[in-house]
Amino acid sequence: MAFKQIETKKISEIVRAQIEEMIKRGDVQPGEKLDSVVQLASQFQVSRSAVREALSALRAVGIVTIKQGDGTFVNKYDFSGVVDPMKAERIISKKEMIELFEIRKIIEVGAAELASLNRQEEHLQSLEAALDGMKRASGGENLGEKADMAFHLALASGTGNTIMIDMMHQLSDTLQKTMFETRRIWLYSEKKTLQRLYEEHENIYEAVKSGDAAAAREKMLEHLTHVESTMIQGIKKE
């Protein structure tokens, strides 16, 4: 029997991952300065060269900025570049995730209401297809975040508002990241199944389908508040 060689991570890659986790947890905020190379090397108990290599990798994907003689600073998440495939590795801090949910509550609650009034049969079919994708999410490699994003994009399309549609498409990559993270936390930290998430989306769909604007607003706000709470609690536990 042939065995595949087990790949081991370079020390610099482990250091990079640790720094990314620090940023996600909010231990260091966007705009703040990281500890010096010497301090980080001491904290992680690795060589300075490993820390420098990790910081260079983070700089290459736009997570930090290294200012010669001044130090290394954490960049804010650039939401204007969310459709840029070169920024696929960008990470979002806990604070930025919370702010994104605040924006989603403003935008998507209104979108649900508007979609309930303006949706066409084609939009309902797209919502149904997305629901089917979420229902088939396995909880393994498929957490259903792509179908989740498809649902929210279909809802935006149902508003008939071109600015709303463009805004949601521009945010789609970023939103899908947060959806994946929320679903991961949902399963592995909260020990829940994906059925509750499916049911919340189904409730939104039923309100939109029936043209009940008040219910559509209520169900969307309920859903976003719930997933935001799950995400925040999960991050605190990690």
Side-chain angles (χ1 to χ4, degrees):
M1 181 183 295
F3 291 93
K4 292 178 66 176
Q5 183 177 359
I6 298 175
E7 296 182 2
T8 57
K9 283 190 175 181
K10 294 173 59 177
I11 293 176
S12 62
E13 292 174 348
I14 297 173
V15 172
R16 170 185 168 169
Q18 290 292 321
I19 294 173
E20 287 180 346
E21 283 303 313
M22 288 168 55
I23 297 171
K24 286 181 181 178
R25 290 195 307 266
D27 296 344
V28 55
Q29 297 292 335
E32 290 184 351
K33 182 179 177 181
L34 289 174
D35 288 339
S36 68
V37 171
V38 174
Q39 290 171 316
L40 290 172
S42 176
Q43 291 168 22
F44 294 125
Q45 297 185 332
V46 298
S47 67
R48 297 180 189 179
S49 62
V51 172
R52 291 192 187 96
E53 189 174 342
L55 294 177
S56 294
L58 291 171
R59 177 179 59 182
V61 293
I63 294 174
V64 301
T65 294
I66 300 175
K67 298 181 180 180
Q68 197 65 34
D70 199 13
T72 303
F73 297 82
V74 177
N75 293 333
K76 292 183 179 181
Y77 190 90
D78 183 8
F79 288 94
S80 67
V82 293
V83 295
D84 185 349
M86 295 301 291
K87 297 189 178 184
E89 295 188 67
R90 288 297 311 278
I91 61 174
I92 309 175
S93 71
K94 173 186 170 183
K95 179 176 181 292
E96 288 167 331
M97 269 197 180
I98 292 172
E99 290 178 344
L100 182 58
F101 268 102
E102 291 173 347
I103 294 298
R104 289 188 67 185
K105 288 176 187 175
I106 295 170
I107 296 175
E108 294 191 72
V109 169
E113 177 182 19
L114 195 57
S116 71
L117 301 174
N118 297 339
R119 82 283 183 272
Q120 302 296 320
E121 183 60 33
E122 63 187 270
H123 302 128
L124 293 176
Q125 290 175 1
S126 295
L127 290 170
E128 289 169 2
L131 280 172
D132 183 61
M134 279 186 271
K135 194 171 187 177
R136 290 186 283 105
S138 62
E141 291 184 5
N142 175 18
L143 293 183
E145 74 279 2
K146 292 181 180 178
D148 198 335
M149 188 67 249
F151 181 92
H152 289 267
L153 289 177
L155 198 65
S157 293
T159 67
N161 185 303
T162 56
I163 295 177
M164 172 74 73
I165 296 167
D166 287 345
M167 285 176 62
M168 287 299 293
H169 276 280
Q170 288 175 12
L171 281 171
S172 62
D173 287 348
T174 303
L175 290 177
Q176 190 167 306
K177 285 183 186 180
T178 64
M179 288 171 179
F180 172 82
E181 189 68 12
T182 299
R183 284 169 174 266
R184 182 188 66 80
I185 290 171
W186 187 285
L187 280 175
Y188 303 118
S189 294
E190 299 296 324
K191 306 300 181 186
K192 299 177 181 177
T193 68
L194 296 174
Q195 180 64 25
R196 172 70 183 274
L197 280 175
Y198 169 80
E199 290 172 355
E200 289 182 5
H201 285 84
E202 187 177 40
N203 290 338
I204 296 168
Y205 166 76
E206 291 297 340
V208 171
K209 182 180 179 181
S210 65
D212 190 335
R217 285 182 61 89
E218 178 187 346
K219 295 304 179 182
M220 178 59 81
L221 180 58
E222 183 180 289
H223 166 62
L224 292 175
T225 301
H226 191 197
V227 294
E228 178 187 29
S229 174
T230 298
M231 183 203 70
I232 293 172
Q233 290 175 15
I235 290 174
K236 287 179 179 178
K237 291 180 181 179
E238 290 187 329

